[in-house]
Amino acid sequence: MGLMSEAFSQTLIPVCALIGILFALVQWFLVSRIRVASSGPDSYEDQLIEEDDEQVEGIDSAEVVNKKCAEIQNAISVGATSFLFTEYKYLGIFMFVFGVIIFIFLGSVKGFSTKSEPCTYNEGNLCKPALANAIFSTIAFWLGSLTSVLSGFLGMKIATFANARTTLEARKGIGKAFITAFRSGAVMGFLLAANGLLVLYVTINLFKLYYEDDWEGLYESITGYGLGGSSMALFGRVGGGIYTKAADVGADLVGKVEKNIPEDDPRNPAVIADNVGDNVGDIAGMGSDLFGSYAESSCAALFVASISSFGIHHDYAAMSYPLIISSVGIIVCLITTVIATDVVEIKTVSEIEPSLKRQLLISTVLMTVGIAGVSFLVLPSKFTLFDFGTDKVVKNWHLFFCVSIGLWAGLVIGYVTEYYTSNAYSPVQDVADSCRTGAATNVIFGLALGYKSVIIPIFAIAIAIYVSFSLAAMYGIAMSALGMLSTIATGLAIDAYGPISDNAGGIAEMAGMSHRIRERTDALDAAGNTTAAIGKGFAIGSAALVSLALFGAYVSRAGIKTVDVLTPKVFIGLIVGAMLPYWFSAMTMKSVGSAALKMVEEVRRQFNTMPGLIEGTRKPDYATCVKISTDASLKEMIPPGALVMLTPLIAGTLFGVETLAGLLAGSLVSGVQVAISASNTGGAWDNAKKYIEAGASEHARTLGPKGSDAHKAAVIGDTVGDPLKDTSGPSLNILIKLMAVESLVFAPFFASHGGLLFKYL
């Protein structure tokens, strides 16, 4: 046994989760102290007098600007809330229907019998009936879905609450604005990490009341939690991604390219929809997505552990190893965040990006120490792990290496992504340089950059897989995925910071604040673009490891001895699986294109038929544009979602478990490459455009101010890259994970009733 007692590990997990929630509430309180709407005649003049003797500058008085900020913030918040409520209505129906499907499929494995049956792995003991597995998997699925939806919704609420506050703080200087945006991101990161952990912990303990000693059945049904988390994330990501990019592309094409008005100009009818989109796509979608990864890697690790010596000998503390790692992660991220907001002060623009990168490094180093402590306290010094029918003897320091290598691979992926998408380094500067000769060369350079940026992350993932599998079989891979996600609170805080700054810039432009404030918010936003790319890199890297772990769990649960590529059954699965990410990307890209087309027509119609709009004497009709985005995204998210949800069911039922194993492997292998290259290409194009606009270096100034030919070419590249980096790329990692976790949940059904075509041919 490990050194940690059961009682201690039982209290440690919820205590850490509650500390995380408490810390999030404290950060939220600090942000909420910045007041937005005017409350009295003198409340502002005292509050917002600038430091270092600069008066509030700008065309309007502080009072008017504040009022404008409050109005715009309210419009964005109302738009985002109404979209999410409409989306969740559809998702509620889906949740119910899919829950029933899970129940019917899994219940029919043993013909809905209520008799206990012999255990699959723990021979000689009786386990609970298959019907119980069906009921509890369905409940876990609903719990996972609800937690996922809640994560997204809370994130969106916090972001729409913080955006105007960041704008107002930007008048006092860049440091204040940075801290506001970052704190708000931290609220979301900690709430999500702590909620995900707490709900999973409570679910396990409640299910235990029924399952008692049958841990195998208990953790088998918990896998439904991961399925719920990811299926909501898929629709959130795809729906939100289509919404945000339809608005963004529509606003850019007509506003910036045709009418030559600046980005986020209040005269542009699509501008509110664009800012709403940042919240529903990048915040709500990203929140659900990372929660899904986190839930699945925990479920995969717990499932593999339950059929190993931990589960068979009922060693509770060792069994909770994955949850304890996440608990320690919350504490580590808390220390990191305090260092960022209260210890190190940011004074200039150039310090923003290094500060965000430094947090990744600090949290990784501290977490490595934490993992070492947990591994030696919780795990027995020697134990066996399930390794496809044989038992593998593992020592506790092996697992320390598994978790750490995942953690450090995540850091490598983060840094490489930053190198390829930040305009401080040569790759993006080369892309910007290629804009001299027009949009075509910009597109060519951008695509090349994206393909090239795949190389190092893939090697990092490959090394992590090889090391962790050699040391601790499939459990090792699940734990290394969890290692990558153990600092999720910091990762998400850095990630949510991006859209919040983006919105803050939009509000500054719409409220007519001075040029200098807009420059500050732009600097925050450019750093935010890079951090968003880092966040996507994390999400994709962890998705690759998670889905491999789920794949291993699926193979052992479906009773497959080996997956042989040379058998035709497996190979057809492999080649079709590799095609799925392309089919999926085609659907999402085309959805963005057709939604953007409607948006462009509407924006043009308003400019042409509403006199006084371009002069600024008449307000545009924002609501119609918001409605176009909402309707398009809800309609268009269904086909790609159906493709992902139905493929494993059809493949498993008609072609059987081996073909499905091939399919999962194929989609994993090709999906990772497509996802990394898509999100990095898009991020690089966006920052190449920002590089030219900011004109911070000699080279950037030669490429011209806003409106030069090179800048126009950069805007075209950015517009092409939008659906790549915000719709197709980030949704692909959900495709990989979701198909794997769904196959795992339905594995008993496929094993007993699957492969109909081959049975009768």
Side-chain angles (χ1 to χ4, degrees):
M1 296 292 251
L3 298 172
M4 193 182 282
S5 69
E6 174 169 346
F8 185 65
S9 54
Q10 276 278 26
T11 42
L12 179 73
I13 299 165
V15 164
C16 290
L18 292 169
I19 290 175
I21 292 172
L22 204 71
F23 183 70
L25 294 175
V26 170
Q27 298 291 327
W28 183 76
F29 173 71
L30 291 171
V31 173
S32 68
R33 279 172 40 197
I34 305 160
R35 309 228 285 287
V36 173
S38 58
S39 50
D42 347 289
S43 59
Y44 271 107
E45 302 306 322
D46 313 336
Q47 217 181 335
L48 286 172
I49 292 297
E50 298 240 324
E51 293 151 6
D52 32 69
D53 305 330
E54 318 163 7
Q55 286 306 310
V56 174
E57 4 129 13
I59 316 104
D60 303 321
S61 73
E63 192 67 37
V64 180
V65 168
N66 265 311
K67 236 173 129 167
K68 275 191 184 167
C69 280
E71 271 173 28
I72 298 161
Q73 178 190 24
N74 189 42
I76 295 173
S77 182
V78 169
T81 310
S82 74
F83 168 72
L84 286 180
F85 272 128
T86 323
E87 184 182 53
Y88 293 155
K89 265 198 310 222
Y90 285 94
L91 288 183
I93 301 167
F94 162 78
M95 243 170 76
F96 178 73
V97 172
F98 203 76
V100 173
I101 293 177
I102 293 176
F103 176 72
I104 292 171
F105 270 57
L106 291 180
S108 68
V109 173
K110 292 278 190 294
F112 296 98
S113 87
T114 49
K115 290 202 297 288
S116 292
E117 46 193 75
C119 297
T120 324
Y121 302 100
N122 189 357
E123 279 121 19
N125 293 4
L126 281 182
C127 281
K128 300 287 183 200
L131 189 65
N133 183 18
I135 295 168
F136 283 103
S137 292
T138 309
I139 296 172
F141 168 74
W142 282 335
L143 281 170
S145 307
L146 287 171
T147 315
S148 185
V149 162
L150 189 72
S151 311
F153 187 72
L154 285 175
M156 184 280 305
K157 271 293 183 219
I158 291 150
T160 51
F161 178 80
N163 49 18
R165 288 173 166 79
T166 305
T167 312
L168 293 174
E169 288 288 278
R171 301 156 157 195
K172 300 184 190 172
I174 190 99
K176 286 269 196 288
F178 170 79
I179 283 190
T180 306
F182 186 75
R183 276 212 166 110
S184 321
V187 177
M188 177 184 173
F190 282 93
L191 274 183
L192 192 138
N195 269 341
L197 179 65
L198 196 60
V199 176
L200 184 57
Y201 171 79
V202 171
T203 310
I204 290 174
N205 279 322
L206 289 177
F207 282 16
K208 223 190 210 113
L209 298 176
Y210 169 79
Y211 275 108
E212 293 160 352
D213 281 350
D214 174 15
W215 284 19
E216 189 184 299
L218 166 68
Y219 291 103
E220 215 166 86
S221 55
I222 289 285
T223 50
Y225 183 74
L227 176 63
S230 259
S231 50
M232 293 299 112
L234 175 75
F235 291 107
R237 238 336 176 182
V238 174
I242 293 168
Y243 186 107
T244 169
K245 290 306 121 179
D248 196 353
V249 172
D252 286 358
L253 283 180
V254 185
K256 290 200 290 206
V257 180
E258 291 174 16
K259 298 284 180 214
N260 230 343
I261 56 177
E263 188 166 2
D264 292 322
D265 191 292
R267 293 168 295 180
N268 192 332
V271 70
I272 293 281
D274 181 10
N275 280 298
V276 169
D278 288 334
N279 291 301
V280 294
D282 287 351
I283 297 254
M286 189 69 186
S288 294
D289 177 5
L290 277 173
F291 164 74
S293 274
Y294 167 75
E296 280 161 352
S297 55
S298 307
C299 291
L302 290 167
F303 173 70
V304 178
S306 73
I307 56 179
S308 303
S309 64
F310 297 162
I312 293 168
H313 300 317
H314 290 144
D315 180 353
Y316 184 83
M319 190 67 219
S320 326
Y321 180 62
L323 300 178
I324 295 171
I325 291 276
S326 309
S327 315
V328 173
I330 291 177
I331 305 299
V332 163
C333 293
L334 195 146
I335 299 168
T336 313
T337 305
V338 171
I339 292 175
T341 52
D342 302 300
V343 180
V344 184
E345 206 184 340
I346 286 188
K347 292 189 182 68
T348 60
V349 171
S350 57
E351 288 171 12
I352 300 173
E353 246 181 67
S355 156
L356 291 165
K357 265 172 63 183
R358 199 165 47 237
Q359 286 196 50
L360 282 179
L361 188 63
I362 294 171
S363 62
T364 304
V365 171
L366 289 176
M367 192 63 209
T368 310
V369 179
I371 296 167
V374 172
S375 303
F376 291 110
L377 285 175
V378 174
L379 297 171
S381 56
K382 217 164 134 186
F383 47 93
T384 60
L385 286 174
F386 178 80
D387 181 16
F388 300 118
T390 57
D391 281 336
K392 186 179 177 73
V393 177
V394 180
K395 297 190 173 65
N396 54 11
W397 57 268
H398 288 173
L399 278 181
F400 162 70
F401 277 111
C402 292
V403 186
S404 307
I405 198 156
L407 181 67
W408 286 89
L411 185 75
V412 169
I413 292 173
Y415 274 22
V416 169
T417 311
E418 195 240 2
Y419 173 71
Y420 279 107
T421 55
S422 162
N423 51 28
Y425 303 105
S426 60
V428 170
Q429 292 172 8
D430 292 346
V431 171
D433 192 61
S434 70
C435 292
R436 292 172 197 277
T437 47
T441 40
N442 180 25
V443 170
I444 294 169
F445 268 72
L447 286 171
L449 175 143
Y451 296 147
K452 197 174 162 193
S453 71
V454 176
I455 303 169
I456 298 173
I458 290 294
F459 275 115
I461 293 171
I463 292 168
I465 289 171
Y466 183 77
V467 171
S468 46
F469 192 87
S470 313
L471 290 174
M474 269 306 161
Y475 187 65
I477 290 177
M479 284 317 301
S480 94
L482 209 64
M484 198 179 277
L485 291 165
S486 59
T487 50
I488 185 174
T490 295
L492 255 174
I494 291 177
D495 199 62
Y497 155 86
I500 292 172
S501 323
D502 191 351
N503 258 219
I507 292 175
E509 181 75 54
M510 283 186 268
M513 289 181 159
S514 69
H515 178 62
R516 220 172 71 245
I517 290 179
R518 181 68 220 211
E519 269 179 2
R520 287 174 187 165
T521 56
D522 269 353
L524 288 171
D525 184 19
N529 255 339
T530 304
T531 60
I534 293 177
K536 284 169 195 143
F538 260 94
I540 295 164
S542 64
L545 290 173
V546 167
S547 66
L548 185 61
L550 291 165
F551 176 70
Y554 158 75
V555 169
S556 46
R557 195 172 168 188
I560 305 172
K561 290 283 175 281
T562 51
V563 180
D564 182 1
V565 184
L566 294 175
T567 51
K569 274 187 198 178
V570 176
F571 194 79
I572 56 170
L574 202 61
I575 201 161
V576 171
M579 172 274 297
L580 288 172
Y582 293 93
W583 188 0
F584 181 82
S585 300
M587 283 178 167
T588 48
M589 301 277 285
K590 196 153 183 284
S591 301
V592 172
S594 56
L597 210 69
K598 290 187 193 121
M599 187 67 80
V600 168
E601 282 163 2
E602 172 59 26
V603 176
R604 276 186 190 148
R605 183 192 69 76
Q606 291 196 27
F607 275 129
N608 296 337
T609 59
M610 294 166 78
L613 185 58
I614 199 85
E615 292 78 31
T617 52
R618 184 173 171 186
K619 260 187 143 170
D621 172 10
Y622 297 128
T624 312
C625 291
V626 171
K627 190 169 166 16
I628 288 179
S629 253
T630 304
D631 295 348
S633 64
L634 292 173
K635 193 173 109 251
E636 302 278 1
M637 75 181 184
I638 295 167
L643 173 75
V644 179
M645 298 301 292
L646 295 176
T647 304
L649 288 179
I650 294 169
T653 310
L654 295 182
F655 297 95
V657 284
E658 275 121 344
T659 307
L660 180 53
L663 188 91
L664 295 177
S667 67
L668 164 64
V669 167
S670 89
V672 176
Q673 336 283 337
V674 181
I676 295 178
S677 63
S679 45
N680 288 352
T681 295
W685 274 327
D686 195 341
N687 273 347
K689 175 203 70 175
K690 289 230 167 44
Y691 174 74
I692 294 175
E693 285 175 356
S697 67
E698 202 46 57
H699 173 235
R701 283 191 286 277
T702 60
L703 294 169
K706 286 186 182 182
S708 68
D709 283 347
H711 178 249
K712 279 188 173 151
V715 169
I716 291 174
D718 174 34
T719 313
V720 175
D722 272 338
L724 282 172
K725 80 174 194 307
D726 287 325
T727 314
S728 298
S731 320
L732 275 174
N733 64 55
I734 306 179
L735 166 129
I736 308 169
K737 296 180 310 202
L738 188 52
M739 293 198 341
V741 73
E742 191 183 338
S743 308
L744 171 62
V745 171
F746 286 104
F749 174 80
F750 298 147
S752 57
H753 300 303
L756 297 178
L757 278 184
F758 293 134
K759 275 181 190 162
Y760 300 116
L761 283 180

